[in-house]
Amino acid sequence: MSGPDGHRGAANLVPVERESGAPVVLPAETLAWIEQRRAMYEDPRAAILPVLHRVQDELGWISLEAEEAVAQAMRMPLAKVHEVVTFYTLFKTQPQGRIRVDICQTMSCMLRGARELFAHMRDRYGVHPGETTADGRLTLHAVECLCNCECAPMAQIADTYHGPLTPAKLDELIAQAQPGETVSAAVTGTCAAAIAEKR
Amino acid sequence: MAVKGFLSALYEQPDMHRLAVAQERANAYAQARRVITMEPAAVIDAVKAANLKGLGGAGFPTGMKWSFVPPKGDKPHYLVVNADEGEPGTFKDRRILLGCPHALLEGIIICCHAIRSEKAYIYVRGEYIHEMKRLQGAIDEAYAAGLLGADHLGTGRRLDVVVHPGAGAYICGEETALIESLEGKKGQPRNKPPFPAIEGLFMCPTVVNNVETLSYLPFLFEMGPQAFNDLGANGTGGCHLVSLSGHIERPGVYEVPMGFPMMELINGLGGGVWKSRRLKAVIPGGLSAPILTADEAQQARLDFKTLRDMGSMAGSGAVMVIDDETPMINVLLNCSHFYHDESCGQCTPCRDGSWWLYKICLRIARGEGRVRDLDEIVRICNNIEGNTICAFGEATAWPIRSYVRKFRGELEAFIQSGQRASEADWYHDDLAAPPLVQIAGVAGTMGAHV
Ligand SMILES: Cc1cc2nc3c(=O)[nH]c(=O)nc-3n(C[C@H](O)[C@H](O)[C@H](O)COP(=O)(O)O)c2cc1C
Ligand code: SF4
Ligand code: FES
C-alpha cells in the first residue's frame, strides 16, 4: 500500500511529513555507483529502481531530501522520482527500524496461521503493521505473498526468508536478527564493467 | 508419478549454481553452443514444434511469441526475463534462480539467438535478495568464461545480461507494467496494441518470457522438439514446476508432465490434505485462478486446456489446497484484500471495483453483511471483467466471483448467522476506518472515498 488510502494509483492526498531536516549529500562513491549503473541501460533513467535501493540501503529510508539528491544525480525531475518512490512498497517514506520484519498476509500464509504471528507482534512487541518498536530496533510490515508459500506462515526478517513460523520461532529469529545483505550489493556485477568498456 | 526430473534434477543437486559443476555434471551450455549455429528461424520452428508454452501465467505459445519479433532493422531487440515471481502461491522461479541459474542463462542465450537480441534484462522481484546475488554470481562466472559478453561463445556478437531489481509491486509481473517499471517509471500496464514484440522496452521489439519457460529450453533442444512435445499432453509440450501450498502435508515444488492429475499431486506427491482433514477446494493456478470444489478437483488435470475447459486456469502452476475446516469467508476476504492492495490504480473499474469488493467482503466478515451483498459482488466482478487495460481485472473478478458462485450457500448462511469471521480482526489498519455501512452503502458513491 502506498498512499494513506492504500491505493497505489491515488496520490498521497494527505501531505505527509517526510522531511528528515537536513539536506542529503550523496557520497562520491555512491555517485560513482550511480553513474556506472546508469551506463548499463540504453536510457539511463532506467537505473532509478536500483539507485533508489542503493540510497535507501545507505540512509535507511527515502526522505524528501533523499529524493532531491536522487533527482539531481539521475538528472530527473523531482516529481518523477517522487512518483516512483511512492508507487513501490519496498521504498519506505518514513524512518524505519534497523531490522525489517515483513510478515506475509496472503492466502497460503493466512491458511496456515499468519494471523497468529500478527497477533503476537502486537502483544509482545506492541507493533501493528507499519509501526516501529519504541527502541527503534524493528519495523513490522504486513506484505503480500513473498512467494515462499511452501514455508507458510512465513516472514522476511532483514534480508532472509524464514518459515514455517510459530510465535516462539519468530521471537528467536527477531532476537538473533542483524541487518542483512542489501539489494544494491546483490546486483553489482561484471557486466557493468563490460558495458563501460564497450562505450 | 513425477517425471524423472529435468529442472528439479538440477536444482536438487548441491552447488549446481556454480559454472564448473553445472558444466561437469549437467553439460551446461552444450545446447546453447549447438543452437547458436542454427538459423534463428529454425530455432523458432523447433520451439513451436515442441509446443512449449509460457509458464509465467498466460500459457502463450513461446515459439509463436518469438516469431512476432520483426526482422532486424536499426532498432535493437531485447529479451526481458520475467523473474518478478509474484502470483500468490507460486515459488518455482526462485528454485531456478537459486539452484540452477545456468539453465536460465543457457535459455537466455538460446532465446537471444532466435530473436537476434544482444541484450537481456532479468527483472527480479526486489525481495529476492539472495536470489539476485546467486544469479549475479552465475552471470559473473559466465562472463569470465566467455559465455556472455563481447564475442560470446565465439559468435562475434555480444550478449549482455543485466540483473534489475524490482521494488515490491505485484502488477510489475504483468509484462507491459514490467517494461514500464524497467524503464524507470511507475509500473502501470500499457494499452495493447502495440504488443511488446513490436514496441516493448525503450520502444524496441521485445520478448518477455518467464524464468521457467526459458530454463526448459536446454532440455527441449537436448531431447528434441518431438520428444519434448510427447512428454506433455493436451496441446502443451513438456513438463512444468508445480508449487503446492496451503493445507497440504508436504508443500513444495513438484516437477510433473503437463496433464498430471490433480488428485495424484495432492494425495500422492503432496501426502494428502494436512491433519487428515478432507479437501474442501483447490485453487489450481495461482490466486488469480477460479476455485475448484473438491468434486471438480477429482477430474482436474494440470494443463492449460483441461483447466480452461473447467472454467479455471493453469496460470503459474500454483496449487493451493483448502481444507474442510476453512470458512469460505476467510478465503474471500483474503483474496479481495490482495487485489485491492495491488491494483495499479489506472483503470476505474479495477481501482474502485477492487476497493468496493474488499470493503463489502470486510463488511460481511464483520458480521454486518446482507445476503444481497453477494449479488453486488458478482455484479462488480462482471463490470470489472473485460473493461480494464490489463488482465489484473480478470485476475480480480474471476476468483472472487467463483467463490461466491460455488460457495453461495455457505456464504449466505454465514451472513444470516450474523457471525464475525475469525480473520476479520486481522486487517488492523482497516479497523480504524469509519463504520462500513456508511461508506459501503451505495456502490456508486464509494468512488468518492478512493
Ligand atoms: C497481473 C499479472 C501478474 C503477472 N505476474 C507474473 C509473474 O509474476 N511472473 C511471470 O512470469 N508472469 C507474470 N504475468 C504474466 C506476464 O504478463 C507474461 O505473460 C509472462 O511473463 C510471459 O512469459 P511466458 O510466456 O514465458 O509465460 C502476470 C500477468 C498479469 C496479468
Ligand atoms: S486492470 Fe488494474 S492493474 Fe491492470 S492496468 Fe487497470 S488498474 Fe492497473
Ligand atoms: S502466501 Fe505467504 S509466501 Fe505466499
Side-chain angles (χ1 to χ4, degrees), chain B residues 181-429:
Chain B
S181 175
L182 183 48
E183 289 181 352
K185 305 172 200 154
K186 289 185 284 184
Q188 290 187 320
R190 293 177 181 171
N191 271 305
K192 288 154 281 250
F195 288 94
I198 309 300
E199 242 174 49
L201 184 64
F202 307 131
M203 305 291 274
C204 295
T206 302
V207 161
V208 183
N209 269 138
N210 170 258
V211 168
E212 186 190 355
T213 313
L214 292 166
S215 302
Y216 270 116
L217 289 167
F219 297 101
L220 186 160
F221 283 94
E222 190 182 358
M223 71 177 83
Q226 190 60 49
F228 188 87
N229 176 59
D230 293 347
L231 254 184
N234 299 327
T236 304
C239 35
H240 61 155
L241 300 177
V242 174
S243 313
L244 181 61
S245 70
H247 293 147
I248 187 83
E249 276 296 332
R250 289 197 293 270
V253 180
Y254 298 95
E255 187 170 36
V256 296
M258 288 290 167
F260 194 77
M262 176 70 85
M263 294 317 292
E264 237 173 272
L265 175 77
I266 294 175
N267 290 332
L269 301 175
V273 180
W274 76 341
K275 302 180 179 173
S276 306
R277 291 188 193 159
R278 292 163 64 95
L279 183 66
K280 174 168 184 164
V282 183
I283 297 173
L287 194 61
S288 309
I291 202 163
L292 301 177
T293 62
D295 281 348
E296 288 171 321
Q298 306 298 321
Q299 317 305 323
R301 284 174 177 273
L302 292 156
D303 65 75
F304 294 107
K305 183 173 185 305
T306 307
L307 288 169
R308 191 172 54 236
D309 289 349
M310 295 182 78
S312 186
M313 63 184 210
S316 58
V319 174
M320 288 185 269
V321 175
I322 298 169
D323 74 19
D324 64 348
E325 294 192 14
T326 309
M328 221 44 216
I329 181 62
N330 292 4
V331 176
L332 183 63
L333 180 61
N334 190 276
C335 182
S336 64
H337 178 267
F338 176 81
Y339 289 104
H340 151 66
D341 204 5
E342 296 292 346
S343 168
C344 92
Q346 69 174 324
C347 319
T348 309
C350 170
R351 181 192 60 229
D352 287 16
S354 64
W355 169 247
W356 300 344
L357 286 170
Y358 170 54
K359 287 295 176 191
I360 294 174
C361 293
L362 189 55
R363 173 167 76 191
I364 295 174
R366 287 177 173 182
E368 300 160 18
R370 297 155 302 188
V371 169
R372 69 186 149 89
D373 285 344
L374 298 176
D375 300 317
E376 190 63 14
I377 289 173
V378 172
R379 198 168 70 99
I380 294 169
C381 291
N382 291 345
N383 277 289
I384 295 174
E385 186 182 9
N387 294 320
T388 59
I389 291 173
C390 88
F392 183 104
E394 283 73 34
T396 308
W398 289 350
I400 291 176
R401 191 170 60 193
S402 76
Y403 306 157
V404 172
R405 285 197 178 146
K406 294 185 185 180
F407 295 91
R408 174 138 192 152
E410 178 191 325
L411 290 168
E412 273 186 17
F414 176 80
I415 291 170
Q416 278 156 348
S417 75
Q419 269 175 281
R420 191 181 167 86
S422 59
E423 293 290 317
D425 63 348
W426 183 19
Y427 297 85
H428 310 283
D429 297 348

Side-chain angles (χ1 to χ4, degrees), chain A residues 104-110 144-150 152 154, chain B residues 88-91 320:
Chain A
C104 173
Q105 61 182 332
T106 317
M107 192 68 77
S108 295
C109 289
M110 179 276 282
E144 300 296 357
C145 183
L146 288 169
C147 290
N148 184 37
C149 330
E150 59 190 318
M154 63 81 60
Chain B
T90 317
F91 41 90
M320 288 185 269

